[in-house]
Amino acid sequence: DGGITQSPKYLFRKEGQNVTLSCEQNLNHDAMYWYRQDPGQGLRLIYYSQIVNDFQKGDIAEGYSVSREKKESFPLTVTSAQKNPTAFYLCASTSQAGGSYEQYFGPGTRLTVT
Amino acid sequence: AQSVTQPDIHITVSEGASLELRCNYSYGATPYLFWYVQSPGQGLQLLLKYFSGDTLVQGIKGFEAEFKRSQSSFNLRKPSVHWSDAAEYFCAVGILEYGNKLVFGAGTILRVKS
């Protein structure tokens, strides 16, 4: 089955530690995205990547980093510089071909930092 | 700046009743509009999308939405709600010039009374 996988589903970390969230897709999509979801605020874009080895900051990139070494993978690192890291993180992807613009979402990772 | 407003944070309807969820957007160009649904702790599922053409679009699960350019609106409707429709609904606008990022509204939580 094609889709987007995110692991783990739940992640707990101590304050001051960096943590990396995994996102893998087997849809052969070119573009991948990371969003953060907080209650009552909808989803906000952290980073996105349209091709391998290239990525751009979204609206709330401070305290986060990403890499795109493979088309299938777009891991997100939440660094100790992120002031409020506890949130639900969603990865998405889209094909850039044929005018298809809808994004497909993974199941999400809930990160709790104490 | 692009933005999406969903005026209703919570809506409660009786099972079998009709539903309308409101969405207004602010975007200078022709919008690409989406409605997504999210069950608690899950990722987002695409309900329907508008890119161009017929302003009344049909989606999955019996949902439809109407694009009204004069009102900058893209309201979601369903003629008869089922208990399984209880979830959170997000309206989003696609911003092509920024890697097709999605700008989301804050969401509307739908509760269905039996």
Side-chain angles (χ1 to χ4, degrees), chain A residues 9 33 35 37 40-43 45 48 50 59 88 90 94 96 99-107 110, chain B residues 32 34 36 38 41-46 49 51 88 90 96-107:
Chain A
K9 189 168 179 61
Y33 307 81
Y35 293 90
Q37 185 177 19
Q41 295 194 46
L43 282 73
L45 183 67
Y48 66 96
Q50 293 181 277
D59 301 311
F88 191 49
L90 288 154
T94 188
Q96 312 247 69
S100 171
Y101 301 115
E102 63 262 39
Q103 292 184 16
Y104 295 83
F105 283 81
R110 185 166 299 281
Chain B
Y32 295 90
F34 306 86
Y36 284 88
Q38 184 182 37
Q42 304 297 316
L44 274 66
Q45 181 183 24
L46 180 68
K49 61 193 179 192
F51 292 160
E88 189 161 17
F90 293 94
L96 289 184
E97 58 267 34
Y98 289 105
N100 189 34
K101 75 171 188 178
L102 294 178
V103 174
F104 285 86

Side-chain angles (χ1 to χ4, degrees), chain A residues 31-34 45-51 54-59 66 68 74, chain B residues 97-101:
Chain A
M32 297 185 73
Y33 307 81
W34 275 105
L45 183 67
I46 304 172
Y47 268 97
Y48 66 96
S49 167
Q50 293 181 277
I51 56 172
D54 188 46
F55 46 83
Q56 284 75 41
K57 293 181 179 179
D59 301 311
V66 294
R68 187 89 186 274
F74 191 41
Chain B
E97 58 267 34
Y98 289 105
N100 189 34
K101 75 171 188 178

Side-chain angles (χ1 to χ4, degrees), chain A:
Chain A
D1 284 335
I4 301 175
T5 57
Q6 292 186 243
S7 60
K9 189 168 179 61
Y10 300 96
L11 195 50
F12 298 88
R13 281 293 183 269
K14 295 291 188 185
E15 201 172 308
Q17 293 179 333
N18 292 354
V19 59
T20 298
L21 281 60
S22 167
C23 176
E24 304 276 333
Q25 55 99 359
N26 60 4
L27 300 167
N28 198 33
H29 284 173
D30 303 297
M32 297 185 73
Y33 307 81
W34 275 105
Y35 293 90
R36 170 184 171 135
Q37 185 177 19
D38 297 281
Q41 295 194 46
L43 282 73
R44 293 177 291 168
L45 183 67
I46 304 172
Y47 268 97
Y48 66 96
S49 167
Q50 293 181 277
I51 56 172
V52 174
N53 293 322
D54 188 46
F55 46 83
Q56 284 75 41
K57 293 181 179 179
D59 301 311
I60 56 166
E62 185 175 349
Y64 299 97
S65 66
V66 294
S67 63
R68 187 89 186 274
E69 297 177 1
K70 298 185 301 181
K71 187 175 184 178
E72 304 78 24
S73 178
F74 191 41
L76 173 74
T77 297
V78 184
T79 76
S80 56
Q82 167 50 231
K83 291 182 171 47
N84 296 297
T86 294
F88 191 49
Y89 291 87
L90 288 154
C91 180
S93 69
T94 188
S95 171
Q96 312 247 69
S100 171
Y101 301 115
E102 63 262 39
Q103 292 184 16
Y104 295 83
F105 283 81
T109 292
R110 185 166 299 281
L111 174 64
T112 303
V113 177
T114 57

Side-chain angles (χ1 to χ4, degrees), chain B residues 50-65:
Chain B
Y50 171 78
F51 292 160
S52 64
D54 193 348
T55 56
L56 184 64
V57 293
Q58 304 296 320
I60 62 171
K61 305 184 181 186
F63 285 93
E64 67 178 27

